[in-house]
Amino acid sequence: TLARSFDSDAIIKNIPKRGYLFLVPVIERDKNENALMSKDLASQQPRVVTALADSENDGRVPLTRSRQLRYIAVLLFATVSIAGTYVVSSWRFSSSPLPKIVKYTQLTNDGLDKRNALFTDGVHVYFEELVSGKAVIAEVPINGGEIVHVSTLFQNPQLIGLFPGTADLFVADVQGVVKTLWRIPLPGGSPQPIGAVLGTDTVWSHDGQNVSYTKNQQHTLVVANADGTSARNIFSVSPGWINFPRWSPNKETIRFCVFNPDIGEGNGTYALWEIGTDGSHPHPLLPTLGKEFQEKIGSWTPDGNNYVFDVLRNGQSEIWSLPENEHWFTPRHYNPTQISNVPISFSGPFVSPDGKKIIVFGKQHHGELVRYDPNTHLFLPYLSGISAGGLNFSQDGAWLAYISYPDSTLWRSKADGQERLQLTFAPTQADSPHWSPDGEWIAYRAALPGHRKKIFTISRNGGAPQEVSAQESNEEGVPTWSADGKSLLYGELRWHPDKIALHIVNLQTGITSTVPGSESLWTPRWSPDGRYIVALTSDSDGLMLYDLHGRKWTMLVKHLPALNEPCWSRHGKYIYFDTTSSDAAIYRIGLHERKLERVVSLTTFPRAQSFGNWLGLAPDDSPLLLREARQLEIYALEVDWSNR
């Protein structure tokens, strides 16, 4: 076979079973005249370059110089054409339509609270939900249908995951601080003990040969063999914690979420990180997204070509996609794309084994303001059940300040909800409003997403907010007023317990002082008469009282886990607070008799968690809470990846 130029002159000859013969002649340069010598090529055999010894000469007529130039031009044209075609095809690939969700299917609709992580074997979806305050493991068909509870015989089961390559469940039996791991065969079979849970957020590699988990109160990420041997610490963070580690399909990478409470640059942020499974090159996955984007949990498609994850932005959780395949003209890890586009917050994505569906939690953010009625022992809608929290009434009871949910904007109105006026606007997120004694000003906290919160005051008639705080490194807590309205009391968040204290800022002079003996205390509240301050210990298991006249601290409540949100009754006779532990409840304690009373249990109350564990009081001192109007449900998002 001969390869020919465009004028049909032979260039290369294929000699069967031996190789190729290059037939282009070599033009010699005259050594004496240093010029090209035109030989009588018609009467002479050409000199050829060949990779074959003793190649035969077929006597073809060699190229003239003009034909050589045309041949070179053809080669250059072909090279440029090929390169151009590759560039265009690569550009078309990188700029092609993005993957899209083509179908949304709601799989559950039972209204029960669902929690932790989702898993699927491609046939069923497995999850935890709360039934009468008790955790159960449940399954639902991946295309929707009846929910079935999986019998485990455990008092407090916790779903860890699926055994790699099977539909068997990994379940932890949680008894206090002790956790034992069991394998539960499905669709039926006896639980098989595996051993003690090595840590929290335990997850196996796709081949089941390795495991990762967190320890030291989720400060350290560990990689080990599946049986727990050869454990290695590969990453640590402090302050903050690690959760939701996930293995890449090729076992080269682990991605996980890091919560950073260091509010020097932000008010507590979540971000996805990745690290080699050998502990190499730990770094944020998407540092260019910005602080207003908070990524929490992700999952790879089975082929490893795409990574899907949730992003919390402006109070709404979205599903995003990140391409993993590398090309010369498409840099890796820098083209994430939002793929969910409906007014439902989707979170916790888990990709099905065939890669066609993303299983997610879905919630339409809406709350219902309720009041606990001590006569009926029921939580009843308050102010028509508006979707708002953070309520605070002026001292004369005429005015109300509150935070709308889920957009976290500050509003004021008459106590009956009339004459509403919006005082702050998105994307600024506000919380914890408190009225000045004269009812003219509102103090509150606010920040842009991803930034540390600061204290502001604003007129009840609106206008420009005025920044109050002077802290430069720590995030301020809830502000409350002195009785004369000249000062504000606030604390700092407890991420660094040895560096926090309570402070009073004089609004006229701007001078800030520290409350004596308040080191390691936080979230203070000033009494209505200005004589007392209550605050929580840094571990939130104690409630302290400070008498400004006697300059003395007293322990009111101790060894009660997860204390939260202290509130003074209208006339300062009682201090209300709640707990957020497994035995959650609302309590109150008398200022003088010091008797602790349990007002109502909250173990089955569905609080709007994304709003925070807020507790308030109505003018008659009955507790106010924000109830989640709709619990999490599970959805299947069918994705078309072909456009990627």
Side-chain angles (χ1 to χ4, degrees):
T1 302
L2 294 179
R4 298 177 179 273
S5 67
F6 286 102
D7 61 1
S8 299
D9 288 312
I11 298 173
I12 300 174
K13 180 179 181 181
N14 180 10
I15 301 177
K17 298 183 180 181
R18 299 194 65 187
Y20 295 91
L21 182 65
F22 189 43
L23 302 179
V24 177
V26 177
I27 307 300
E28 294 184 346
R29 182 180 296 276
D30 183 77
K31 297 179 180 179
N32 298 322
E33 299 180 5
N34 195 28
L36 290 174
M37 298 177 61
S38 299
K39 295 182 179 294
D40 186 2
L41 298 177
S43 61
Q44 297 185 36
Q45 295 292 338
R47 296 177 62 189
V48 298
V49 178
T50 177
L52 297 173
D54 303 322
S55 295
E56 60 178 323
N57 185 348
D58 67 353
R60 301 290 298 178
V61 177
L63 294 176
T64 63
R65 179 170 178 77
S66 62
R67 288 173 177 170
Q68 292 177 45
L69 294 176
R70 273 187 289 174
Y71 173 66
I72 293 172
V74 169
L75 288 179
L76 289 174
F77 177 79
T79 301
V80 171
S81 297
I82 293 172
T85 301
Y86 183 83
V87 169
V88 171
S89 63
S90 297
W91 177 83
R92 291 183 62 189
F93 176 87
S94 63
S95 61
S96 63
L98 300 173
K100 61 181 180 180
I101 297 174
V102 296
K103 186 178 181 181
Y104 296 82
T105 303
Q106 184 172 338
L107 304 184
T108 65
N109 192 30
D110 60 2
L112 296 177
D113 191 20
K114 298 163 181 65
R115 63 181 190 180
N116 294 337
L118 293 166
F119 302 95
T120 180
D121 57 4
V123 179
H124 293 92
V125 176
Y126 302 94
F127 56 96
E128 289 181 41
E129 64 179 1
L130 294 178
V131 179
S132 299
K134 182 180 181 297
V136 299
I137 295 175
E139 66 177 48
V140 66
I142 197 168
N143 294 318
E146 183 180 357
I147 296 175
V148 176
H149 292 160
V150 178
S151 177
T152 63
L153 303 179
F154 303 140
Q155 289 296 318
N156 190 20
Q158 182 179 38
L159 180 61
I160 302 296
L162 299 178
F163 194 86
T166 74
D168 295 356
L169 302 182
F170 276 123
V171 175
D173 178 17
V174 183
Q175 299 180 9
V177 297
V178 178
K179 296 182 181 180
T180 54
L181 191 63
W182 296 74
R183 178 175 178 175
I184 300 180
L186 293 180
S190 300
Q192 304 169 11
I194 296 178
V197 174
L198 302 173
T200 55
D201 288 301
T202 304
V203 63
W204 277 261
S205 59
H206 294 261
D207 61 6
Q209 299 300 308
N210 298 93
V211 65
S212 65
Y213 56 91
T214 61
K215 67 175 186 178
N216 299 334
Q217 297 181 326
Q218 295 181 264
H219 292 311
T220 303
L221 180 64
V222 182
V223 169
N225 294 333
D227 60 2
T229 59
S230 301
R232 296 175 289 110
N233 299 343
I234 64 170
F235 185 76
S236 293
V237 60
S238 183
W241 56 81
I242 302 165
N243 52 17
F244 307 126
R246 295 290 185 267
W247 292 75
S248 63
N250 60 12
K251 291 181 60 174
E252 293 180 357
T253 301
I254 294 177
R255 289 183 183 159
F256 52 93
C257 176
V258 172
F259 176 72
N260 175 24
D262 188 350
I263 39 65
E265 295 185 357
N267 62 326
T269 57
Y270 294 90
L272 284 169
W273 280 58
E274 69 177 354
I275 189 173
T277 51
D278 59 356
S280 61
H281 195 43
H283 61 279
L285 178 65
L286 298 165
T288 60
L289 270 187
K291 297 175 188 175
E292 67 274 19
F293 297 84
Q294 300 198 43
E295 322 102 53
K296 289 189 176 181
I297 184 173
S299 175
W300 273 275
T301 53
D303 58 12
N305 288 338
N306 290 277
Y307 180 75
V308 295
F309 57 100
D310 57 20
V311 172
L312 180 63
R313 177 172 55 156
N314 295 332
Q316 183 85 354
S317 186
E318 308 156 345
I319 302 300
W320 286 52
S321 170
L322 181 69
E324 293 290 323
N325 42 351
E326 296 187 59
H327 291 267
W328 289 0
F329 298 95
T330 54
R332 184 173 180 250
H333 296 349
Y334 290 97
N335 297 297
T337 305
Q338 180 185 346
I339 59 175
S340 65
N341 57 2
V342 294
I344 300 177
S345 276
F346 291 125
S347 61
F350 190 92
V351 181
S352 63
D354 62 6
K356 296 180 179 180
K357 293 181 178 180
I358 304 172
I359 310 302
V360 294
F361 291 116
K363 182 197 295 185
Q364 298 185 51
H365 286 291
H366 181 73
E368 180 185 34
L369 180 65
V370 295
R371 166 187 168 270
Y372 177 69
D373 185 347
N375 297 317
T376 62
H377 304 290
L378 297 174
F379 287 98
L380 304 175
Y382 189 70
L383 293 178
S384 301
I386 64 171
S387 184
L391 274 71
N392 184 254
F393 292 85
S394 60
Q395 281 195 5
D396 60 8
W399 293 95
L400 169 66
Y402 62 89
I403 303 296
S404 65
Y405 174 73
D407 61 338
S408 296
T409 54
L410 173 63
W411 293 70
R412 71 98 171 113
S413 70
K414 287 287 191 178
D416 60 1
Q418 302 298 312
E419 298 186 27
R420 299 169 68 232
L421 178 65
Q422 186 172 355
L423 301 178
T424 67
F425 300 86
T428 297
Q429 296 178 337
D431 66 31
S432 310
H434 281 82
W435 285 92
S436 62
D438 61 7
E440 295 295 327
W441 295 87
I442 301 169
Y444 64 99
R445 299 192 311 163
L448 292 172
H451 293 76
R452 68 184 185 91
K453 290 182 178 177
K454 299 182 179 181
I455 296 173
F456 296 85
T457 60
I458 192 169
S459 167
R460 76 176 188 189
N461 298 317
Q466 300 179 18
E467 184 177 339
V468 172
S469 54
Q471 291 284 329
E472 295 297 332
S473 58
N474 289 331
E475 182 182 10
E476 294 89 2
V478 175
T480 54
W481 295 82
S482 61
D484 60 9
K486 296 180 179 179
S487 301
L488 285 172
L489 166 73
Y490 68 95
E492 297 153 320
L493 297 196
R494 56 176 177 166
W495 306 122
H496 302 277
D498 58 335
K499 299 180 180 179
I500 63 174
L502 310 183
H503 309 283
I504 296 175
V505 56
N506 186 302
L507 298 178
Q508 296 176 336
T509 65
I511 297 175
T512 299
S513 59
T514 299
V515 178
S518 66
E519 292 76 14
S520 298
L521 299 179
W522 74 304
T523 192
R525 304 290 189 272
W526 221 326
S527 64
D529 62 6
R531 177 174 175 176
Y532 298 99
I533 292 172
V534 292
L536 301 182
T537 56
S538 61
D539 56 8
S540 288
D541 72 350
L543 180 68
M544 303 288 293
L545 177 72
Y546 183 67
D547 185 342
L548 278 82
H549 292 180
R551 296 182 176 273
K552 180 182 178 181
W553 284 99
T554 304
M555 180 76 77
L556 287 181
V557 179
K558 61 181 179 180
H559 305 316
L560 187 61
L563 293 176
N564 178 65
E565 203 75 48
C567 304
W568 286 94
S569 63
R570 185 168 185 79
H571 300 293
K573 182 179 179 180
Y574 291 96
I575 302 161
Y576 287 76
F577 61 91
D578 66 328
T579 59
T580 58
S581 62
S582 57
D583 188 26
I586 297 175
Y587 295 84
R588 75 175 186 177
I589 188 169
L591 177 62
H592 300 294
E593 62 272 19
R594 308 290 172 90
K595 179 182 177 182
L596 183 64
E597 303 175 54
R598 185 182 176 102
V599 178
V600 60
S601 172
L602 297 178
T603 54
T604 60
F605 184 86
R607 302 179 85 161
Q609 292 293 337
S610 57
F611 185 80
N613 290 307
W614 167 75
L615 169 68
L617 297 176
D620 64 355
D621 292 337
S622 54
L624 299 174
L625 295 170
L626 182 61
R627 175 163 56 195
E628 190 68 58
R630 183 175 181 179
Q631 300 302 308
L632 285 176
E633 300 296 349
I634 297 174
Y635 293 74
L637 315 182
E638 188 172 332
V639 186
D640 179 7
W641 300 107
S642 61
N643 290 325
R644 176 61 81 179

